[in-house]
Amino acid sequence: MASTFQTYLQLGFFHIFNLQAYDHLVFLLALCAPYVLQEWRRVVALVTSFTLGHSLTLALATLNVVQYSPQAIEVLIPVTIVLTCLLNLARAGRPTTRPVLRPAPEPVVLAWPNLLAAVFGLIHGLGFSSYLRELLGHQSRPVLELLAFNVGVELGQLLIVGLILLLGALLLRGLSVARRDWLLVVSGAALGIALVLLVK
């Protein structure tokens, strides 16, 4: 049992770093772009909300409880990136009198960004399911495997967003890059990649 759990934990963790799943990486980049290192608790809450969403649909699709069109999901995943980037760009355009690195007084949990992340997670979970079904073969009730895979995905995501926040801190503090400029560049780059995915 421990060996099975560890195997699927590793598969979930390393699947996040698979270049074939780069759309997921781009989404995480866009999701984290508005935040700085001091706001890591808020980012963890966002990522966990996203994980809860994709864990639900990943399990339902893997167990054949829900059916979906892979072609539709291929379109909807970049749409989630586009919408996230547009929200970021709208936020960047707002005038502010706060110091650059002071966290906004937004609750860590139960805020609308967490709800939105969970909804977008529902879509991304369906994208994960085809990969996991290939791994599982004909297993009918792979509960342990699903749990381990989702935990691995969550750990991989947390590592990625940690690296994004550290890179942002280096640029904002070390090189005195303006927070608004960071948000605009990162969101603009993610938006460009998502638009390319949409027209492929």
Side-chain angles (χ1 to χ4, degrees):
M1 179 178 294
S3 176
T4 299
F5 187 90
Q6 183 177 3
T7 297
Y8 280 86
L9 180 76
Q10 292 175 348
L11 287 169
F13 182 85
F14 289 111
H15 181 61
I16 294 299
F17 297 93
N18 190 328
L19 290 180
Q20 293 181 345
Y22 72 93
D23 52 351
H24 189 71
L25 296 176
V26 174
F27 177 79
L28 289 174
L29 181 64
L31 191 69
C32 297
Y35 301 97
V36 293
L37 189 58
Q38 295 95 315
E39 299 171 294
W40 66 269
R41 292 182 182 85
R42 192 170 303 160
V43 176
V44 169
L46 270 177
V47 173
T48 302
S49 298
F50 178 68
T51 299
L52 290 174
H54 75 62
S55 297
L56 176 61
T57 49
L58 174 61
L60 293 176
T62 302
L63 297 172
N64 292 314
V65 176
V66 298
Q67 303 295 322
Y68 66 95
S69 165
Q71 293 78 15
I73 296 303
E74 285 182 10
V75 173
L76 288 174
I77 286 177
V79 166
T80 65
I81 301 171
V82 168
L83 292 176
T84 303
C85 292
L86 291 177
L87 289 170
N88 289 348
L89 295 174
R91 168 185 275 188
R94 295 176 188 169
T96 178
T97 57
R98 296 191 190 99
V100 170
L101 296 177
R102 180 181 298 174
E106 182 182 286
V108 171
V109 294
L110 301 179
W112 70 266
N114 298 74
L115 177 60
L116 192 61
V119 171
F120 287 169
L122 296 174
I123 297 170
H124 284 252
L126 295 174
F128 279 132
S129 64
S130 58
Y131 169 75
L132 185 55
R133 276 189 298 202
E134 289 179 7
L135 294 174
L136 292 170
H138 299 290
Q139 294 187 55
S140 59
R141 287 291 180 269
V143 176
L144 181 65
E145 291 86 349
L146 276 168
L147 174 61
F149 188 83
N150 281 314
V151 171
V153 168
E154 173 73 351
L155 293 175
Q157 289 177 158
L158 291 175
L159 176 58
I160 288 168
V161 299
L163 294 173
I164 294 170
L165 290 177
L166 287 172
L167 176 61
L170 175 64
L171 294 173
L172 294 172
R173 288 185 174 276
L175 300 179
S176 299
V177 173
R179 182 170 177 176
R180 183 175 183 272
D181 292 343
W182 162 257
L183 179 55
L184 288 172
V185 170
V186 171
S187 299
L191 178 60
I193 295 171
L195 292 175
V196 169
L197 288 171
L198 279 173
V199 299
K200 280 175 58 176

